[in-house]
Amino acid sequence: MAALLVGVCLLCMQLHMIICRPALSEKNYMSAFPFVNDEEIRKTSFKNVSHPNGTSQYLPHILIIGVRKGGTRALLEMLSLHSHISAAESEIHFFDLEDQYKRGLEWYLDQMPFSYPHQLTVEKTPAYFTSDVVPERVYNMNSTIRLLLILRDPIERVLSDYTQVFYNHKQKNKSYPAVEDLLLKNDELNTDYKAINRSLYHIFMENWLKYFPLKNIYIVDGDRLIKDPFPEMQKVERFLNLSPQINVSNFYFNKTKGFYCLRDSGRDRCLHESKGRAHPQIKPFLLGKLRDYFHEPNKKFFELVGQTFDWL
């Protein structure tokens, strides 16, 4: 009997595509990707030829869909501490950019990392959340995919959005208006400013809920993730049905940078210097206008998702 079991294991190791994992057997994997037809599923859900070390490329099981300047990079880096996670390095923008989407799922699959059969593949593109077309496109790829959405106080997100664009211009030796000049128009709040529109979370959430139930979406509290990352990552692990591997020792507060950095297998690493930049100070009357403006949209979002955040 022992010899038979050894023989079966050796046979599995020699297969080009490892299908011995119950959670991602060919049958179960294809049922999780309801494409147009079975032939397309077989062609695009995962690579039929694996790497000699037993890894292969899979379409994502998890998407971090946003929001821009909500903490998506921090979330991805922290999630990557888990050995069962394999993350795409760059933002692929497959679902929101027409030129990318026209390349098809086989091209998208080619952008995925090589991962082991026990791992879950994750891709992050913050622009997905605010795009009108993305929810339906993601649904057409996989109606049961797990979605991670990280949000922070809408006003803080607006200021962070401004800060990033400001520094992008500065690095190119280009001028950029002061934050007050963009936030105000004729002494009233400039509601046409894109950074403000991106913080109207309820509008975009309504679109996602047309295609995905709330049980498929986990909303990460970006403000709490910055202040105390471990409890938030425990919740993410539970949502993704991952074994509890991430622990408090994986995080340490860097006093110089002013935010938490990561410690993994004795190696310390922090987010890029572009992260955690100080936001511009705005006058109290302008802060009041922003609070008044976002009060009702925030309430609508809380009602939509059935939970509250410290934004009011």
Side-chain angles (χ1 to χ4, degrees):
M1 178 62 73
L4 177 61
L5 290 175
V6 171
V8 171
C9 290
L10 288 173
L11 178 62
C12 287
M13 292 173 63
Q14 292 171 357
L15 289 175
H16 288 300
M17 189 64 228
I18 300 175
I19 59 173
C20 296
R21 174 176 53 162
L24 282 177
S25 66
E26 184 175 354
K27 178 180 178 182
N28 290 338
Y29 199 101
M30 290 195 301
S31 68
F33 288 88
F35 300 116
V36 176
N37 54 58
D38 285 348
E39 182 180 357
E40 187 177 3
I41 295 173
R42 292 178 187 278
K43 287 168 60 179
T44 58
S45 59
F46 52 81
K47 286 286 188 180
N48 289 323
V49 178
S50 66
H51 192 273
N53 66 2
T55 61
S56 191
Q57 290 169 292
Y58 298 85
L59 284 172
H61 311 90
I62 306 160
L63 281 183
I64 298 177
I65 59 175
V67 63
R68 170 186 164 108
K69 306 311 298 176
T72 56
R73 172 53 61 178
L75 175 60
L76 183 67
E77 292 293 333
M78 292 175 186
L79 187 57
S80 296
L81 291 167
H82 202 290
S83 65
H84 290 188
I85 290 294
S86 180
E89 289 295 324
S90 60
E91 296 173 5
I92 299 172
H93 288 275
F94 175 66
F95 296 103
D96 65 305
L97 296 183
E98 292 301 322
D99 288 344
Q100 303 287 62
Y101 193 65
K102 288 177 182 177
R103 297 185 181 195
L105 283 173
E106 288 193 44
W107 176 86
Y108 185 44
L109 179 58
D110 283 336
Q111 313 312 306
M112 294 300 118
F114 281 86
S115 60
Y116 290 99
H118 68 276
Q119 292 181 306
L120 298 175
T121 298
V122 56
E123 192 250 312
K124 170 191 85 79
T125 299
Y128 287 164
F129 180 59
T130 55
S131 169
D132 292 337
V133 299
V134 168
E136 183 176 10
R137 289 175 175 180
V138 173
Y139 179 87
N140 289 338
M141 181 191 73
N142 180 1
S143 63
T144 62
I145 195 168
R146 281 164 282 186
L147 305 171
L148 294 176
L149 171 64
I150 180 167
L151 301 176
R152 60 190 306 192
D153 184 319
I155 298 174
E156 289 297 320
R157 201 219 63 80
V158 169
L159 297 178
S160 182
D161 199 317
Y162 168 84
T163 301
Q164 175 173 300
V165 179
F166 173 83
Y167 276 97
N168 287 346
H169 279 69
K170 186 177 181 180
Q171 289 171 357
K172 299 174 183 177
N173 294 317
K174 294 181 178 180
S175 61
Y176 196 66
V179 64
E180 289 86 357
D181 295 337
L182 293 174
L183 289 173
L184 289 175
K185 186 176 182 180
N186 299 324
D187 293 326
E188 294 297 329
L189 200 64
N190 180 15
T191 56
D192 293 328
Y193 180 31
K194 286 184 178 180
I196 289 179
N197 290 328
R198 292 190 188 107
S199 284
L200 297 174
Y201 301 147
H202 71 288
I203 294 175
F204 309 113
M205 195 66 181
E206 285 174 348
N207 193 27
W208 281 92
L209 290 176
K210 291 177 184 177
Y211 299 92
F212 295 95
L214 270 175
K215 67 179 183 179
N216 283 48
I217 307 171
Y218 182 73
I219 303 171
V220 182
D221 190 325
D223 297 308
R224 292 184 180 179
L225 188 75
I226 294 171
K227 297 174 183 176
D228 191 9
F230 177 56
E232 287 302 307
M233 292 311 300
Q234 284 184 302
K235 297 173 187 176
V236 173
E237 281 182 320
R238 287 195 290 269
F239 171 74
L240 298 176
N241 293 320
L242 292 170
S243 59
Q245 287 187 13
I246 301 173
N247 58 69
V248 70
S249 65
N250 289 129
F251 307 97
Y252 71 96
F253 189 78
N254 187 307
K255 292 182 180 180
T256 303
K257 292 182 175 292
F259 54 80
Y260 278 88
C261 294
L262 308 182
R263 180 171 288 133
D264 185 21
S265 301
R267 184 171 65 93
D268 295 353
R269 55 191 170 95
C270 293
L271 296 179
H272 190 267
E273 61 181 12
S274 64
K275 307 299 180 182
R277 286 173 173 150
H279 296 168
Q281 296 295 315
I282 59 175
K283 296 176 181 178
F285 88 94
L286 183 51
L287 181 60
K289 283 182 177 291
L290 286 167
R291 284 175 175 163
D292 290 343
Y293 179 75
F294 283 115
H295 184 79
E296 285 303 317
N298 287 345
K299 287 178 62 178
K300 289 180 181 178
F301 179 77
F302 297 164
E303 293 171 1
L304 201 60
V305 300
Q307 62 182 108
T308 59
F309 298 85
D310 299 329
W311 301 340
L312 292 180

